[in-house]
Amino acid sequence: MEDIKEQLPVIGITLGDYNGIGPEVVIKALQDNRILKLFTPVLYGSHKVLSRYRKLLNIEHFSYQTVQAGQPFSDKKINLVSCWDDTHEPIPGQVTQEAGLAACQALQASTEDLKNGRIQAVVTAPINKHNIQSETFPYPGHTEYYADVFQAKEHLMLLTSEELRIGTVTGHIPLHQVSQVLTRDKVAQKIDLLLQSLRLDFAIRKPRIAVLGLNPHAGENGLLGEEDSAIIAPAVQSFRDKGQLVFGPYPADGFFGKHQYRRFDAVLAMYHDQGLIPFKMLAFEHGVNFTAGLPVVRTSPDHGTAYDIAGKGIADEGSLRGAIFEAMAILKNRELAKLERKPGSASNKTLAAIMQEEDAKPESLL
């Protein structure tokens, strides 16, 4: 019988702001050729940028092939899609409009390939949220861009690592607006989306979720704010009434101070810094940002452009590499979920049995 060749996943990788550490961590993450046995990388950037950083980093062995629009990508090679002309010289550490425009062009090119099925997932290197702003990119960040482009009614910024998964109800908005936009429905929507993502993207059959409070001491029974008792607690209870393992609201300081996050599959924070400060304390060098709720798979490292160390050869590629592996794992979990949903299949029967067993487990385990 003829051997069936397993198709490697094709993963797009944007270079981000080329004056930041994006090009450096991409080159470092792909420098070991053994990684090409796991997936086919497609870089969105330019030859001049890659060549410039190769010289700065003194890296001799990093080869790739340039692919013209519409041409097929090659397995076991790094493919480069040129997204802009090479008239501008990268200046590591500098904020320039040209770098912002280039980052946007890379995003747009990769998005078209994602829509057309030429790539199966995209990993985005960091952008500068200021210099990328234009009529074609009026978004506060990658998350909002992808949610709009792929028309996701609800989406969730989900930071993942071995230690912790944490999502946020609100994203890139000023702190004084958080309590204004927080509603019971909004909290419930994010809890539901987190539950769905844990099942579909992370293959967790019966997820356990902790929900954080908004105010100090989770409101102290209304003494320090009404949001916890009037908005968050009822949203949590609506899932408890349906048999879901959703708990809270927990006071954020004690929750992390006592390491309670270790007892849950994921945590839902109310706002950006409430979730990202503890996450980056635990997993800054290898954490991954995943946009849950999209019909496509998009991940990124959990750090920014880091202009202060750009071009110095000291940027850690661990988070970018983690984003690549996370994208591949999510792709595989989604494929398995498709198989399990087929009526009458053995995998579907297995899934049903697993769900029954999980539903029978007592909540006292928490």
Side-chain angles (χ1 to χ4, degrees), residues 37-217:
K37 297 179 180 179
L38 304 176
F39 75 104
T40 299
V42 181
L43 306 185
Y44 292 86
S46 84
H47 169 72
K48 189 171 189 176
V49 169
L50 292 176
S51 179
R52 166 76 165 145
Y53 280 94
R54 271 189 57 189
K55 292 177 181 177
L56 280 175
L57 302 173
N58 196 26
I59 292 176
E60 295 182 5
H61 303 292
F62 182 75
S63 60
Y64 51 87
Q65 67 170 19
T66 302
V67 179
Q68 302 301 322
Q71 286 186 339
F73 302 126
S74 297
D75 291 341
K76 298 183 179 179
K77 290 184 180 180
I78 299 172
N79 300 266
L80 170 66
V81 177
S82 293
C83 301
W84 61 84
D85 62 51
D86 281 330
T87 56
H88 299 289
E89 186 74 25
I91 311 172
Q94 297 296 311
V95 179
T96 66
Q97 290 302 312
E98 292 80 11
L101 175 60
C104 184
Q105 291 170 326
L107 270 180
Q108 292 170 336
S110 64
T111 297
E112 284 304 307
D113 282 350
L114 199 55
K115 287 180 177 179
N116 297 330
R118 282 170 53 78
I119 59 175
Q120 295 169 270
V122 64
V123 177
T124 56
I127 58 173
N128 180 319
K129 293 178 175 59
H130 177 72
N131 72 355
I132 197 175
Q133 294 297 310
S134 67
E135 291 183 359
T136 57
F137 194 93
Y139 308 98
H142 280 116
T143 302
E144 295 80 6
Y145 165 78
Y146 284 106
D148 183 34
V149 169
F150 289 97
Q151 300 180 335
K153 293 182 180 179
E154 287 295 329
H155 63 280
L156 178 72
M157 182 170 67
L158 181 59
L159 283 299
T160 73
S161 70
E162 291 184 4
E163 299 89 349
L164 172 66
R165 297 185 191 93
I166 189 161
T168 61
V169 173
T170 58
H172 297 110
I173 64 172
L175 186 58
H176 70 88
Q177 293 181 8
V178 172
S179 60
Q180 299 171 21
V181 303
L182 208 63
T183 66
R184 188 183 304 184
D185 285 345
K186 189 175 185 67
V187 174
Q189 287 171 349
K190 299 298 184 180
I191 293 174
D192 187 53
L193 189 53
L194 183 53
L195 285 168
Q196 291 180 43
S197 181
L198 290 171
R199 295 186 184 110
L200 174 65
D201 301 317
F202 298 93
I204 299 172
R205 306 302 185 191
K206 190 70 173 177
R208 297 168 294 176
I209 293 178
V211 179
L212 301 181
L214 174 67
N215 298 295
H217 306 287

Side-chain angles (χ1 to χ4, degrees), residues 316-346:
D316 191 313
E317 73 276 17
S319 185
L320 191 281
R321 184 183 292 113
I324 294 170
F325 289 144
E326 188 79 284
M328 288 192 290
I330 292 170
L331 282 173
K332 181 170 286 187
N333 286 334
R334 288 190 177 188
E335 286 300 315
L336 289 173
K338 287 180 183 178
L339 292 174
E340 290 170 342
R341 285 196 294 266
K342 288 184 177 179
S345 68

Side-chain angles (χ1 to χ4, degrees), residues 297-327:
V297 176
R298 175 260 166 171
T299 64
S300 72
D302 71 343
H303 55 71
T305 52
Y307 290 123
D308 57 323
I309 61 171
K312 297 180 180 179
I314 58 176
D316 191 313
E317 73 276 17
S319 185
L320 191 281
R321 184 183 292 113
I324 294 170
F325 289 144
E326 188 79 284

Side-chain angles (χ1 to χ4, degrees), residues 181-363:
V181 303
L182 208 63
T183 66
R184 188 183 304 184
D185 285 345
K186 189 175 185 67
V187 174
Q189 287 171 349
K190 299 298 184 180
I191 293 174
D192 187 53
L193 189 53
L194 183 53
L195 285 168
Q196 291 180 43
S197 181
L198 290 171
R199 295 186 184 110
L200 174 65
D201 301 317
F202 298 93
I204 299 172
R205 306 302 185 191
K206 190 70 173 177
R208 297 168 294 176
I209 293 178
V211 179
L212 301 181
L214 174 67
N215 298 295
H217 306 287
E220 199 73 77
N221 296 319
L223 181 65
L224 302 178
E226 299 290 339
E227 294 89 350
D228 301 274
S229 57
I231 295 174
I232 303 172
V236 170
Q237 188 59 47
S238 68
F239 286 90
R240 300 275 289 149
D241 292 341
K242 292 181 286 189
Q244 304 292 343
L245 302 183
V246 180
F247 301 86
Y250 292 97
D253 56 351
F255 181 84
F256 289 107
K258 296 176 182 178
H259 304 284
Q260 287 177 283
Y261 61 87
R262 293 174 177 169
R263 296 160 54 189
F264 297 91
D265 297 303
V267 179
L268 185 65
M270 292 300 109
Y271 57 92
H272 185 279
D273 282 14
Q274 186 186 52
L276 270 68
I277 288 175
F279 182 84
K280 292 191 176 185
M281 287 282 290
L282 291 167
F284 185 74
E285 292 183 349
H286 56 273
V288 174
N289 183 356
F290 167 57
T291 306
L294 297 179
V296 297
V297 176
R298 175 260 166 171
T299 64
S300 72
D302 71 343
H303 55 71
T305 52
Y307 290 123
D308 57 323
I309 61 171
K312 297 180 180 179
I314 58 176
D316 191 313
E317 73 276 17
S319 185
L320 191 281
R321 184 183 292 113
I324 294 170
F325 289 144
E326 188 79 284
M328 288 192 290
I330 292 170
L331 282 173
K332 181 170 286 187
N333 286 334
R334 288 190 177 188
E335 286 300 315
L336 289 173
K338 287 180 183 178
L339 292 174
E340 290 170 342
R341 285 196 294 266
K342 288 184 177 179
S345 68
S347 57
N348 192 52
K349 295 175 183 177
T350 301
L351 176 62
I354 291 173
M355 292 296 287
Q356 288 180 356
E357 291 174 4
E358 291 291 339
D359 287 340
K361 289 181 180 179
E363 294 178 3

